[in-house]
């Protein structure tokens, strides 16, 4: 080493050409690539959501035909699930933070990491093209035999697009698992890992083991449409329930792909906001692993009315109640961490608290749906729609944005406007509840999902929901504004603007290309705040 | 500062870490492969339970002799690739190169025999979607058997083809003395992959060629 060596340049200034970004192996730059592209897909899916809420503002089907409406909600679902929610936290915050949090220079397979992004982009462009040119009317679930025999829409090419993006997910999961196993720095033992890293471990297991099942199932659908054979078609001797088993074997754990990372983010936000150790660290770890594992055994709760055996339904119902236990442990432990604490209500903390509240409501209504008798009435109503939006939008998106705010100074080296950020966070919480709480009521009163018109008696609840969607849209657009502003005019952030603990706060903001000047050595557990 | 060994990528501290990462990465990848094929085996099981007679009669169309030959070839090839790895570990080069080329040739012979089987199926018109003629009482359900047979063996043959390319690459690198007792991780993980290809076939063969034949 030269004696008078300059401080290493930050990863943002290490190469300014387009090529230095598009051919980068730096996990931090790849995280930025993901962040930009998933934001693009988020707003695409958001436009579809806006159209849906606009159509449902009035009882009559006046904006679009039933057929167009079907294609619109399919577009919304496919884009939001596979091109925003699944990659959201793992591929942006996970990519950026995971190596830094364990004190590594990069992920184990940097080129594979970049390749995942290209797969994601290729799959995304291909799928969106299919959804726009011709469209798909099956819903994001592609239920057979409708999707294989009857739908005259672009099913085959769309499932190919989702198939491609599935590989991006698998490779990311593989990369993270290997990174966590083999790249931890000196002294970073398993039980000194921040909970965010543990959540990345849990989510990677799910990505790795569930996604191949979806990919192969979608390949079978494509083959059925191409060859006119019916593994999933009763008219040709096949079994349509088999499709649902395969599909939910992936798609229930997929919910945990969206929620486990959110839980990881929230654990970091809460401990930093109250400057305390997390309550019951080991229980938090075990509940992450518990959720990841039990999550594989509950898929049948999506099939209570599909003709599945009654005994299977009972077992799936019981298991679905059991998985609520580790989820509840997490909520209790966050609450205990906050209890009688000196809480700083910065924007990240507001998002985190919003997450806890909305996740609780989403989780508890999930128990309604896990009860077989109640589910018979609530299946395919707006109650289900509200429930999973509380988990996926209220939970995951709140946590994602909370995380983006929390680590923004680290990622960009700049501070954002705290006042605007708090305003956006509160607006999001209010807008979200106004949008989706009425849907619980509409669903409980029997309003079915996936229709473009409805009886006038549901009018009030739907107009409330559409009004809430306007607030929600505004709260999603606001951060774009003040974040862009901060890139240019924001105050410079020091290494640790929040006074938070964790390896990522010991390096400069933004970090140098290889993350640390010298490999850090870890001597204590995470969240080593001075107050007990 | 950068006292990196020639084969160690810059994100790793040392060769041992890189070796651990590559090996674990391959095992994780093989786990996903098991799940890919798992879907096909599960679909087979469900359809077989629903239509036992149709599946029994359809499975008589497959060629037990050729299937047995293919099994023997793949098992032998797993043996030769394992010998190649061992030889490199002991410092060998020429024998290992030969063994790797031999393994690749065995893979190609496997593919050739499979192609011959497919050609026979084509003549017998039992390829759903391409050339299929319904005969007998169970034709519609027999079609499910052949569909699954083609998806499974086709997907497996794709893996064999990739494996052959990988093996030939490894043979070339071994020939150029890229590996030795100290460094042979790529060779080792390639062999792992080849063993998986073999193991999958060990399940395909009894399910599609043997069960319910009598
Ligand atoms: Cu579920």
């Amino acid at each position: 080493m030269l004696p008078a060596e300059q401080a290493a340049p930050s990863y943002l200034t290490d190469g300014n050409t387009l090529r230095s970004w598009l051919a980068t192996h730096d996990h931090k730059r790849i995280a930025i690539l993901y962040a930009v592209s998933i934001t693009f897909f988020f707003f695409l899916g958001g436009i579809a959501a806006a159209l849906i809420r606009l159509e449902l503002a009035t009882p009559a089907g006046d904006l679009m035909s039933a057929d167009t409406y079907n294609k619109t909600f399919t577009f919304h679902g496919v884009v939001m699930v596979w091109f925003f929610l699944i990659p959201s936290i793992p591929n942006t915050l996970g990519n950026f933070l995971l190596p830094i949090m364990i004190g590594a220079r990069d992920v184990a397979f940097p080129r594979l990491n970049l390749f995942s992004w290209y797969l994601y982009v290729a799959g995304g462009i291909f799928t969106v093209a299919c959804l726009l040119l011709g469209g798909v009317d099956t819903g994001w679930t592609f239920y057979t035999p409708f999707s294989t025999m009857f739908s005259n829409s672009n099913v085959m090419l769309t499932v190919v697009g989702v198939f491609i993006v599935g590989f991006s997910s698998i490779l990311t999961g593989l990369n993270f698992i290997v990174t966590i196993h083999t790249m931890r720095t000196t002294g970073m033992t398993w039980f000194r890992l921040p909970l965010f890293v543990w959540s990345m471990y849990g989510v990677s297991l799910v990505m790795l083991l569930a996604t191949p099942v979806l990919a192969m199932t979608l390949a079978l659908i494509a083959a059925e449409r191409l060859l006119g054979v019916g593994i999933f078609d009763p008219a040709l001797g096949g079994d349509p329930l088999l499709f649902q088993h395969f599909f939910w074997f992936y798609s229930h754990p997929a919910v945990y792909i969206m929620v486990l990372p959110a839980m990881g983010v929230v654990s970091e936000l809460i401990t930093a906001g109250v400057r305390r150790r997390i309550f019951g660290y080991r229980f938090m770890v075990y509940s992450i692993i518990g959720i990841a594992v039990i999550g594989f055994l509950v898929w049948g709760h999506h099939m209570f009315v599909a003709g599945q055996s009654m005994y299977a339904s009972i077992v799936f119902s019981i298991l679905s109640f059991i998985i609520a236990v580790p989820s509840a442990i997490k909520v209790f432990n966050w609450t205990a961490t906050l209890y009688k604490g000196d809480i700083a209500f910065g924007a990240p903390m507001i998002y985190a608290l919003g997450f806890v509240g909305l996740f609780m409501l989403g989780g508890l209504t999930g128990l309604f749906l896990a009860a077989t008798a109640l589910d018979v009435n609530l299946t395919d109503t707006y109650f289900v729609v509200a429930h999973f939006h509380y988990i996926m939008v209220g939970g995951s998106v709140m946590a994602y944005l909370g995380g983006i705010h929390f680590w923004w100074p680290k990622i960009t080296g700049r501070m954002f406007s705290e006042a605007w950020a708090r305003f956006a966070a509160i607006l999001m919480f209010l807008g979200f509840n106004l949008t989706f709480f009425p849907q619980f009521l509409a669903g409980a009163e029997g309003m079915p999902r996936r229709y473009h018109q409805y009886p006038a008696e549901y009018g009030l609840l739907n107009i409330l929901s559409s009004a809430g969607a306007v607030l929600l849209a505004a709260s999603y657009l606001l951060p774009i504004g003040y974040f862009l502003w901060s890139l240019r005019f924001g105050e410079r952030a020091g290494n640790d603007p929040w006074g938070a603990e964790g390896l990522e706060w010991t390096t400069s903001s933004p970090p140098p290309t290889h993350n640390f000047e010298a490999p850090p050595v870890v001597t204590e557990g995470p969240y080593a705040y001075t107050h007990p | 500062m950068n006292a990196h060994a020639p084969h160690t990528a810059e994100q790793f501290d040392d060769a041992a870490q890189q070796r651990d990462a590559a090996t674990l990465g391959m095992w994780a990848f093989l786990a996903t492969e098991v799940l890919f094929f798992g879907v096909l085996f599960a679909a087979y099981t469900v359809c077989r339970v629903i239509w036992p007679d149709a599946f029994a009669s359809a499975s008589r169309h497959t060629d037990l002799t050729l299937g047995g030959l293919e099994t023997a070839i793949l098992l032998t090839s797993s043996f030769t690739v394992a010998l190649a790895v061992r030889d490199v570990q002991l410092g060998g080069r020429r024998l290992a190169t030969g063994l790797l080329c031999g393994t690749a040739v065995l893979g190609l012979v496997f593919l050739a025999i499979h192609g011959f089987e497919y050609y026979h199926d084509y003549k017998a018109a039992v390829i759903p979607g391409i050339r299929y003629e319904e005969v007998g009482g169970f034709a519609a359900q027999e079609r499910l058997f052949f569909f699954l047979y083609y998806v499974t063996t086709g997907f497996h043959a794709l893996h064999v083809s990739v494996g052959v390319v990988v093996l030939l690459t490894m043979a070339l690198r071994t020939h150029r003395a890229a590996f030795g007792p100290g460094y042979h991780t790529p060779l080792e993980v390639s062999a792992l992959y080849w063993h998986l290809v073999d193991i999958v076939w060990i399940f395909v063969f009894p399910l599609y060629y043997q069960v319910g034949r009598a």
Side-chain angles (χ1 to χ4, degrees):
Chain A
M1 190 194 279
L2 294 169
E5 200 181 34
Q6 292 276 307
S10 92
Y11 79 99
L12 287 172
T13 52
D14 191 4
N16 289 316
T17 57
L18 187 63
R19 193 192 141 79
S20 75
W21 280 89
L22 294 181
T24 183
H25 292 169
D26 185 342
H27 66 101
K28 299 182 289 302
R29 286 197 164 199
I30 295 172
I32 303 284
L33 292 177
Y34 267 113
V36 171
S37 32
I38 70 162
T39 306
F40 170 73
F41 284 106
F42 176 72
F43 281 102
L44 268 189
I47 291 170
L51 290 173
I52 291 169
R53 279 324 315 167
L54 201 59
E55 167 63 70
L56 295 177
T58 59
D62 35 21
L63 180 66
M64 47 181 114
S65 66
D67 202 37
T68 312
Y69 183 78
N70 292 344
K71 290 177 178 176
T72 309
F73 72 66
T74 305
F75 183 94
H76 170 69
V78 169
V79 170
M80 285 301 202
V81 168
W82 282 298
F83 300 97
F84 175 70
L85 284 165
I86 298 276
S88 60
I89 297 177
N91 282 320
T92 57
L93 293 172
N95 245 330
F96 194 96
L97 294 166
L98 175 66
I100 305 183
M101 281 181 163
I102 61 173
R105 281 187 288 273
D106 206 322
V107 292
F109 308 117
R111 266 183 300 179
L112 194 67
N113 202 12
L114 182 67
F115 179 60
S116 313
W117 180 72
Y118 277 103
L119 279 179
Y120 166 79
V121 171
I125 292 172
F126 189 78
T127 309
V128 167
C130 294
L131 290 169
L132 289 177
L133 312 171
V136 177
D137 58 358
T138 61
W140 77 283
T141 46
F142 302 117
Y143 267 21
T144 57
F146 179 67
S147 62
T148 48
M149 287 305 287
F150 302 105
S151 172
N152 285 320
S153 56
N154 237 341
V155 176
M156 201 184 101
L157 291 174
T158 305
V159 298
V160 171
V162 176
F163 182 86
I164 296 172
V165 85
F167 278 92
S168 161
S169 224
I170 291 172
L171 296 178
T172 301
L174 189 151
N175 218 336
F176 283 5
I177 285 183
V178 175
T179 304
I180 297 171
H181 268 278
T182 60
M183 309 286 282
R184 285 169 288 125
T185 190
T186 317
M188 183 54 94
T189 57
W190 282 92
F191 282 106
R192 284 179 183 169
L193 290 174
L195 289 172
F196 180 74
V197 175
W198 272 108
S199 79
M200 284 299 118
Y201 190 74
V203 78
S204 301
L205 279 179
V206 179
M207 281 177 163
L208 195 71
L209 299 178
T211 320
V213 174
L214 174 80
M216 204 65 217
T217 309
L218 295 181
L220 283 176
I221 286 201
E224 283 198 18
R225 278 185 79 93
L226 192 66
L227 303 175
V229 190
I231 296 294
F232 302 132
D233 185 348
L236 296 174
D239 183 358
L241 268 191
L242 183 62
F243 171 80
Q244 294 187 25
H245 279 296
F246 285 154
F247 181 82
W248 290 113
F249 181 84
Y250 165 79
S251 292
H252 182 82
V255 176
Y256 296 110
I257 299 181
M258 305 171 198
V259 141
L260 279 173
M263 292 170 157
V265 166
V266 165
S267 300
E268 304 297 318
L269 267 49
I270 284 182
T271 46
V274 68
R275 303 192 46 73
R276 275 186 173 179
R277 280 174 204 273
I278 193 89
F279 181 88
Y281 171 81
R282 288 208 177 213
F283 274 95
M284 294 298 257
V285 171
Y286 295 139
S287 59
I288 287 171
I289 300 301
I291 289 171
V293 172
I294 306 172
F296 275 103
L297 307 173
V298 301
W299 77 85
H301 63 214
H302 296 269
M303 301 164 60
F304 288 159
V305 298
Q308 163 183 261
S309 116
M310 183 185 77
Y311 300 103
S313 290
I314 291 172
V315 171
F316 281 123
S317 172
I318 293 170
L319 285 166
S320 304
F321 277 98
I322 289 175
I323 202 170
V325 174
S327 306
I329 288 176
K330 300 197 79 81
V331 173
F332 291 141
N333 285 9
W334 289 320
T335 317
T337 308
L338 290 165
Y339 182 65
K340 285 189 176 173
D342 183 11
I343 303 170
F345 286 98
M349 181 58 107
I350 298 176
Y351 277 110
L353 295 177
F355 168 89
V356 176
L358 299 179
F359 173 73
M360 242 168 60
L361 248 166
L364 288 174
T365 49
L367 293 180
F368 290 38
L369 296 168
T372 45
L374 209 47
D375 183 70
V376 172
N377 294 302
L378 293 173
T379 282
D380 281 333
T381 69
Y382 264 87
F383 192 90
V384 177
V385 175
H387 155 69
F388 71 73
H389 279 88
Y390 263 76
I391 298 287
M392 285 149 74
V393 185
S396 300
V397 180
M398 283 295 261
Y400 171 64
L401 283 167
I404 292 286
H405 282 82
F406 184 61
W407 284 291
W408 183 262
K410 181 53 61 186
I411 295 169
T412 65
R414 303 277 189 166
M415 300 303 289
F416 51 85
S417 155
E418 182 65 30
W420 276 105
R422 281 184 209 175
F423 174 68
I426 292 168
L427 186 66
M428 197 173 296
F429 184 78
L430 296 177
F432 178 84
N433 279 301
L434 186 57
T435 310
F436 290 103
F437 197 80
Q439 296 186 5
F440 278 127
L441 305 177
E445 286 173 20
M447 180 174 169
R449 62 192 284 208
R450 293 183 167 176
Y451 286 89
H452 75 313
Q453 52 192 8
Y454 52 84
E457 62 199 90
Y458 300 117
L460 175 65
L461 292 170
N462 274 284
I463 200 80
L464 286 176
S465 182
S466 290
V470 175
L471 297 185
L472 202 51
S475 73
Y476 289 140
L477 288 168
L478 270 177
I480 298 273
Y482 59 76
F483 277 147
L484 286 178
W485 182 89
S486 88
L487 282 183
R488 207 175 154 75
F489 304 108
E491 225 179 285
R492 296 248 172 221
N495 285 3
D496 189 4
W498 313 115
E501 293 288 334
L503 283 181
E504 77 269 30
W505 302 110
T506 62
T507 184
S508 50
S509 308
T513 302
H514 285 306
N515 298 342
F516 301 97
E517 302 278 307
V521 175
V522 179
T523 52
E524 56 187 345
Y527 317 116
Y529 293 100
T530 38
H531 304 292
Chain B
M1 202 63 214
N2 276 325
H4 267 107
H7 294 296
T8 309
E10 62 176 358
Q11 69 271 24
F12 297 111
D13 292 334
D14 49 42
Q17 191 185 31
Q18 167 159 304
R19 186 194 153 103
D20 286 351
T23 310
L24 180 63
M26 182 47 85
W27 279 107
F29 176 72
L30 297 187
T32 69
E33 292 278 30
V34 168
L35 281 145
F36 269 110
F37 281 103
V39 169
L40 297 173
F41 290 133
Y44 171 92
T45 310
V46 167
C47 290
R48 174 139 215 151
V49 168
I50 302 177
W51 309 107
D53 297 339
F55 268 54
S57 84
S59 67
R60 276 174 219 126
H61 286 279
T62 54
D63 192 318
L64 192 57
T65 319
L66 290 182
L69 191 60
E70 286 163 333
T71 311
I73 288 170
L74 275 191
L75 284 174
T76 314
S77 76
S78 247
F79 181 59
T80 50
V81 80
L83 284 181
V85 175
R86 188 70 192 144
D87 187 48
V88 167
Q89 284 171 342
L90 296 175
R93 185 160 73 90
R94 288 191 51 183
L95 177 62
T97 310
L99 283 166
L100 285 168
C101 288
T103 313
V105 168
L106 287 173
L108 287 172
V109 172
F110 172 89
L111 288 173
I113 298 176
H114 232 321
F116 182 69
E117 275 191 90
Y118 286 172
Y119 171 68
H120 256 262
D121 291 346
Y122 182 77
K123 284 211 297 193
V126 291
I127 308 183
I130 294 179
R131 187 153 183 263
Y132 192 84
E133 281 157 24
E134 300 204 350
V135 275
F138 291 108
Q141 290 80 352
E142 283 181 21
R143 193 197 291 240
L144 294 182
F145 175 91
F146 288 110
F147 175 65
L148 284 170
Y149 170 79
Y150 270 95
V151 174
T152 311
T153 57
F155 194 52
H156 178 260
L158 183 71
H159 280 76
V160 176
S161 313
V162 171
V164 167
V165 174
V166 170
L167 286 168
L168 289 175
T169 317
M170 288 303 137
L172 190 66
R173 289 182 68 182
T174 309
H175 175 68
R176 287 181 180 162
F179 307 125
Y183 173 73
H184 48 265
T185 317
L187 180 60
E188 222 170 44
V189 297
S190 305
L192 268 179
Y193 172 80
W194 190 255
H195 292 318
L196 176 96
V197 171
D198 191 10
I199 288 168
V200 169
W201 181 259
I202 300 281
F203 284 88
V204 172
F205 178 59
L207 288 180
Y208 286 97
Y209 289 80
Q210 290 180 311
V211 176
R213 248 196 126 82

